[in-house]
């Protein structure tokens, strides 16, 4: 399996477990210790293979909100192209995102209101002092324009020292990111409010059980499970300790 297929399949399996764009109340984080025992990893089944030369490194994948036979993905890095793909990996359409500059586009998420969230959150060697998330309306395959305009943006300040990040998901009225850390350190979960837009400081919720570099994350529809993709494979963690109000 080549790199494009691997990057496509792992996050997609996270989507099948836990489709982003959940409705209901926000996941509430406890600022105290929030480590949980990781649940056993589910079986990974290959369902597709990206063959389009335009998708050189599929980084984030999310199921389409209006068509269960469609997924959205994008390349890792600076390119501002959004791709629509079928479950088998075939390319269905592509769009150019306008109104935002990407330094390191790493992930994509969706809410329950027909919006996509584009995570310019990569931070190799922790060189960036801010992260950015941009919102666009989920495009239709039959729309006449190939342009997708940014409708809102969030500029995210770190809660402490900058960290690398490749994971973004939406739950209720909040966005969440997971730190990508190394040397057997525990990954940390942080959130920011979607209302209002603008400059926000990430709120550190606590450490997760996983101690491998996290490259993708998603949450189940009921908010009970956090699905994670890491260098060690795929795992789930229960969020029960993350559901009490913050102090």
């Amino acid at each position: 399996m080549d790199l494009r297929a691997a990057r496509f399949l792992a996050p997609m399996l996270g989507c099948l477990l836990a489709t982003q764009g959940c409705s209901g109340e926000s996941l509430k984080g406890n600022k105290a210790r929030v480590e949980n025992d990781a649940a056993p990893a589910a079986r990974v089944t290959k369902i597709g293979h990206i063959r389009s030369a335009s998708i050189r490194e599929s980084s984030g994948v999310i199921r389409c909100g209006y068509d269960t036979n469609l997924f959205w993905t994008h390349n890792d890095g600076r390119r501002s192209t959004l791709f629509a793909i079928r479950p088998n990996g075939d390319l269905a359409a592509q769009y150019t995102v306008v109104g935002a500059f990407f330094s390191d586009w790493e992930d994509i998420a969706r809410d329950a209101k027909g919006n996509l969230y584009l995570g310019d959150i990569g931070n190799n060697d922790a060189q960036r002092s801010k992260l950015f998330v941009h919102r666009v309306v989920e495009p239709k395959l039959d729309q006449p324009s190939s342009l997708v305009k940014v409708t809102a943006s969030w500029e995210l300040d770190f809660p402490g020292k900058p960290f690398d990040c490749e994971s973004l998901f939406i739950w209720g009225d909040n966005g969440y990111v997971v730190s990508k850390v190394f040397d057997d350190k525990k990954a940390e979960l942080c959130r920011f409010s979607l209302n209002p837009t603008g400059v926000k400081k990430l709120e550190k919720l606590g450490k997760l059980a996983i101690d491998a570099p996290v490259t993708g994350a998603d949450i189940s529809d009921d908010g009970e499970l956090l699905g994670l993709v890491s260098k060690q494979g795929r795992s789930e963690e229960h969020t029960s300790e993350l559901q009490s109000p913050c102090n």
Side-chain angles (χ1 to χ4, degrees):
M1 185 184 302
D2 63 17
L3 177 61
R4 288 179 294 171
R7 292 297 295 251
F8 166 53
L9 290 170
M12 177 178 282
L13 286 163
C15 295
L16 296 177
L17 158 77
T19 303
Q20 290 175 337
C22 306
S23 58
E25 295 182 359
S26 302
L27 180 70
K28 296 180 179 179
N30 191 335
K31 290 184 179 178
R33 185 174 180 268
V34 295
E35 296 181 18
N36 300 290
D37 291 332
R43 172 182 288 185
V44 175
T45 302
K46 180 177 178 178
I47 62 173
H49 188 140
I50 296 178
R51 294 179 174 85
S52 171
S54 298
I55 307 176
R56 305 176 70 177
E57 186 180 354
S58 174
S59 186
V61 178
I62 184 65
R63 189 191 296 273
C64 177
Y66 60 83
D67 185 349
T68 57
N69 196 39
L70 196 68
F71 289 81
W72 302 108
T73 190
H74 58 90
N75 282 309
D76 185 301
R78 297 176 177 270
R79 293 181 177 85
S80 57
T81 306
L82 176 68
F83 299 95
I85 57 176
R86 297 300 181 185
N88 65 359
D90 288 349
L91 181 65
Q94 65 183 64
Y95 307 86
T96 299
V97 179
V98 295
F101 170 81
F102 292 94
S103 294
D104 193 353
W105 187 358
E106 285 286 357
D107 206 1
I108 187 169
R110 180 173 59 80
D111 65 18
K113 302 176 183 178
N115 298 304
L116 298 176
Y117 294 78
L118 319 180
D120 180 13
I121 55 177
N123 193 15
N124 295 328
D125 300 320
Q127 294 296 308
R128 302 174 68 182
S129 60
K130 296 177 182 292
L131 305 179
F132 294 87
V133 174
H134 307 290
R135 183 171 65 200
V136 301
V137 176
E138 200 168 14
K140 304 293 185 181
L141 291 187
D142 59 355
Q143 70 180 41
S145 175
S146 62
L147 301 181
V148 177
K149 296 182 179 180
V150 169
T151 60
S153 294
W154 292 262
E155 180 180 323
L156 307 177
D157 292 322
F158 291 97
K161 294 178 62 176
F163 52 78
D164 195 8
C165 182
E166 296 188 6
S167 309
L168 168 71
F169 65 90
I170 304 299
W171 174 255
D173 294 325
N174 293 295
Y176 294 81
V177 298
V178 179
S179 64
K180 180 183 179 183
V181 291
F182 303 88
D183 300 324
D184 297 326
K185 294 180 180 179
K186 302 284 188 179
E188 292 185 311
L189 180 65
C190 299
R191 74 177 174 188
F192 63 97
S193 174
L194 299 176
N195 301 307
T197 60
V199 180
K200 298 292 180 71
K201 183 176 182 179
L202 287 168
E203 178 186 8
K204 187 183 296 185
L205 300 181
K207 294 182 178 180
L208 301 170
I210 192 166
D211 58 3
V214 175
T215 58
D218 208 344
I219 193 168
S220 61
D221 288 335
D222 59 8
E224 294 296 323
L225 282 177
L226 181 63
L228 300 166
V229 177
S230 74
K231 298 293 185 180
Q232 295 178 351
R234 177 166 171 254
S235 62
E236 296 92 44
E237 295 191 22
H238 293 280
T239 61
S240 57
E241 292 187 37
L242 296 172
Q243 295 176 343
S244 58
C246 288
N247 297 323

